[in-house]
Amino acid sequence: RQMCIRDSCILKLETLIVLTESGGDFMEENRLHIPHKISRWDEGIPMGNGEIGCLLFGSSKRLVLSLDRGDIWDCSRSPEQTPGFTYENLVKWAKAGDIKSIQKTFDRPYNLPVPTKLPAGRIELSLPGNADVCSFRLDLSVAQATFENDAARVCTFVHATEHVGMMRLNVSSVRLRLVRPKFGKRSGLQKWLKWLCAIPAAFNTNKLTSVCYPQATEREIDTGNIHIQYFVQPLNDGGAFGIAAGSAPAGPKQTEIAYYTYFSKDAATVPKVLQARVTAALKKGYAALFDTHKAWWANYYAQSSVHVPDVYIQNRYNLGNYLLGSASRSGGYPMPLQGLWTACDDKHLPPWKGDYHHDLNTQLTYYSYLKANHLEQGRCYLDYLASLTKRARDFAASFYNADGICLPSVLDINGYALGGWAMYSLSPTNQLWLCQAFERYYTYTGDKVFLEQTAYPFMEQSARCILSLLREDNAGYYVLPVSSSPEIHDNSIKAFLTPNSNYDQALLLYIFQALSRLADVLHKTQDAQLWRKTLCKLRPLAVNENHVLRLSPDEDLLESHRHQSHAMAIHPLRLLDPADKQDLAVIESTVNYTFSLGQKAYTGYSWTWMAEFFTVLKNGNQALHCLETFWKYYCAQNNSFHLNWDKRTNPSERPFTLEGNFCALDALQEMLLYSEHGVIELFPAVPDKWQDLSFKTLRAWGGVLVSAEMSDGRLQSAQFTAQNDVAFVLRGAFADHKFHGGQVTLQLDGAQVHISAGETVTLEK
């Protein structure tokens, strides 16, 4: 058979191949190999470039490319328009125990079809072939997927920077059709249903047909040897989206196809852009575009690497790293719940509207990028949040009647509230968790311009909002009007805990501690005084007689629970220092007790969060157990999408989200490199069975790029390259090693290391 691109699809013989436990598919460190058809869209081969996403799946004769864009949304009928949608009412009803009014006003609007993210549609290819035998491959190193049956071979990629997908087939012609989403049609019945939607209690659906738009247009155009098909789907606000696929011969028994999906608020521009993009791509050709595509991915992977002696874990880590590069790019929208891979089943809208959840999901999704040194992927998230500052200021004023800024915790792409379980979806402290992303970016880069112009203003204004809400209790301490801890007691009146829950209290302690430190860096003396004065009026965390963090001052966690919100102080906020004996006692007791309650209520991200806890305790064996459980039992077999529920007990429940995948990456990186508050430790939580492993240029606090190697269970060498003038304490067992470069002073608790910007310190035996 002819190769699409020489060498790009050839298996490297030296790559180790093993059989997985989940069905006998071949697994390699940097490739996926599925030697059979893929029937489900959520098991498809994922591709993307931060703007468009693609899932490749199908059978021998029907190959499907499901396309998606991050900006295709119907943002009509915002729940903020619901009468009584105010924090004042939420507080009043919570204190009165009126859960019915809370649910009617804040939760029921979430059950309406819109606002919601929308699927884009798909491309279907009819291919020659006599047997239902086929295979799929994904080469992670070059981000190219390959499909093969007994008569045809297809290579495809979504270009890293050109925002267009390309295919090359070893057949002279192919039947191709575009399938648009099966939205509802406008009719008398639909007009009646639209009116009925205005009554939240009467209409609750996530069916694709429950949203109705004008009829789509379809066209076919021939320009020279290029044949173009496209459709344009108008929306109700004057915008539109569409998909185009252009095909052209590329030599004897060779066909190339370019595909693209586009959205615009100006519907008239959509067909023009669709045609122009696929035409330009076909003129450049597959090979030329693939060269620049590969170059981007080579640079991406050069930013860091991790090598562990377990092919399965290595593959899952590499795949997660690939998903991050595919779905998050500077200048684009950050990943919502499903990233760039919205549902493609012709029946349903995306799970949970495909929206942005800020009570866990977006935060965990953007955990891993800093240590992995993929700053561009994280700036996408931070820039998006900063761009919503005006919206956050308006919402703080209109909903909370407060100063400063605060975003809803469940929101559409434009930053408007979607409703939901009000005790969490409208909790103001979730805004403080968003602040940590800004603070961590600064502490991991040392970028003072970012701190002064972006991070500090966002954090300071968020704190101003919280200060507007805090009230003194009888003892003179600050408390919130109502308090909760995601997602304990679900959507019941019991979810309103005695203020302040440990979740809220940890975030309050965090924000004012962080702002005190950062105000000193920026020489904002008056601000620093205010933040420290506020800290004095905050109670310590609630801990019971067994040294276990409580849910609230008067309630313990007594059941298995998916959200580890009561233990935020351990991770991610890192308020408790494991080097302090009293803090360590609380960490150990809380983690062990929480895990002892069982995992019955866990979703996938619960396991990855527990893995983070065990890395804090330097328990690599338990951390690895948690990660293995997550990847094997809570993820799709082919693409590792986080399916939320345990496949062994809930095989048919598959609403996927991605936050667990990226939290898992972070936990693995934390096993290899500890970096908090000016302290670095190498290989702090390595499992006993891992004796030979290494990492290159993982990022630590202060903008230090760290590389290290372990052999036979012992540290062999390490390098520390500073991007700024920096000082840190290096802890660990390195008495028989020598330092070269920088200024190093050996102390009882480790080595005090001073490095100038651009300088490298090496540690060798």
Side-chain angles (χ1 to χ4, degrees), residues 472-618:
E472 290 188 9
D473 65 9
N474 293 334
Y477 288 105
Y478 280 150
V479 293
L480 291 160
V482 291
S483 189
S484 62
S485 184
E487 295 167 342
I488 194 69
H489 304 318
D490 292 340
N491 190 21
S492 70
I493 199 65
K494 291 173 58 181
F496 292 100
L497 308 178
T498 300
N500 289 331
S501 70
N502 260 344
Y503 175 78
D504 288 340
Q505 194 70 8
L507 285 163
L508 290 169
L509 290 168
Y510 160 75
I511 192 63
F512 294 112
Q513 287 181 16
L515 281 171
S516 298
R517 183 173 66 253
L518 298 179
D520 287 340
V521 173
L522 296 175
H523 306 293
K524 293 180 177 290
T525 306
Q526 289 186 340
D527 281 8
Q529 291 174 349
L530 172 62
W531 309 139
R532 291 188 175 101
K533 180 180 178 181
T534 304
L535 277 170
C536 292
K537 295 180 73 65
L538 294 175
R539 278 193 174 90
L541 296 165
V543 180
N544 68 17
E545 66 277 7
N546 296 317
H547 308 293
V548 174
L549 289 169
R550 312 189 77 183
L551 287 171
S552 70
D554 58 1
E555 184 176 355
D556 287 320
L557 180 67
L558 300 176
E559 60 191 23
S560 175
H561 184 46
R562 59 187 173 272
H563 199 304
Q564 316 298 346
S565 51
H566 67 295
M568 290 282 291
I570 300 174
H571 181 86
L573 300 181
R574 303 289 184 134
L575 297 178
L576 301 178
D577 184 358
D580 180 277
K581 290 185 179 180
Q582 290 184 336
D583 284 359
L584 180 60
V586 174
I587 296 171
E588 288 180 330
S589 299
T590 302
V591 173
N592 292 332
Y593 172 76
T594 301
F595 202 63
S596 73
L597 291 173
Q599 295 76 48
K600 180 180 179 181
Y602 280 19
T603 62
Y605 70 73
S606 310
W607 284 98
T608 62
W609 201 338
M610 286 302 308
E612 300 270 22
F613 287 161
F614 284 119
T615 65
V616 175
L617 290 174
K618 301 182 181 181

Side-chain angles (χ1 to χ4, degrees), residues 62-119:
R62 176 178 171 266
L63 185 64
V64 181
L65 291 88
S66 172
L67 299 183
D68 188 21
R69 276 186 68 101
D71 55 0
I72 303 178
W73 269 79
D74 183 334
C75 292
S76 59
R77 297 197 59 81
S78 169
E80 291 186 30
Q81 302 168 1
T82 304
F85 198 93
T86 66
Y87 190 63
E88 180 182 9
N89 280 333
L90 176 60
V91 171
K92 179 180 69 175
W93 292 329
K95 291 184 175 180
D98 187 355
I99 192 64
K100 289 185 178 180
S101 293
I102 292 173
Q103 292 174 347
K104 178 181 178 181
T105 303
F106 303 106
D107 183 33
R108 287 182 184 173
Y110 191 78
N111 296 326
L112 298 177
V114 294
T116 184
K117 191 176 185 299
L118 298 171

Side-chain angles (χ1 to χ4, degrees), residues 223-237:
T223 305
N225 66 342
I226 297 176
H227 178 72
I228 299 175
Q229 300 171 239
Y230 70 85
F231 74 78
V232 175
Q233 174 63 66
L235 300 178
N236 293 328
D237 60 358

Side-chain angles (χ1 to χ4, degrees), residues 439-488:
E439 181 254 338
R440 297 288 278 191
Y441 185 91
Y442 163 69
T443 53
Y444 269 78
T445 64
D447 186 342
K448 289 188 177 180
V449 174
F450 175 81
L451 171 63
E452 185 172 10
Q453 297 181 0
T454 304
Y456 190 85
F458 189 93
M459 297 173 67
E460 183 261 345
Q461 286 298 300
S462 299
R464 299 284 180 187
C465 178
I466 289 294
L467 280 174
S468 295
L469 301 178
L470 294 174
R471 300 290 182 267
E472 290 188 9
D473 65 9
N474 293 334
Y477 288 105
Y478 280 150
V479 293
L480 291 160
V482 291
S483 189
S484 62
S485 184
E487 295 167 342
I488 194 69

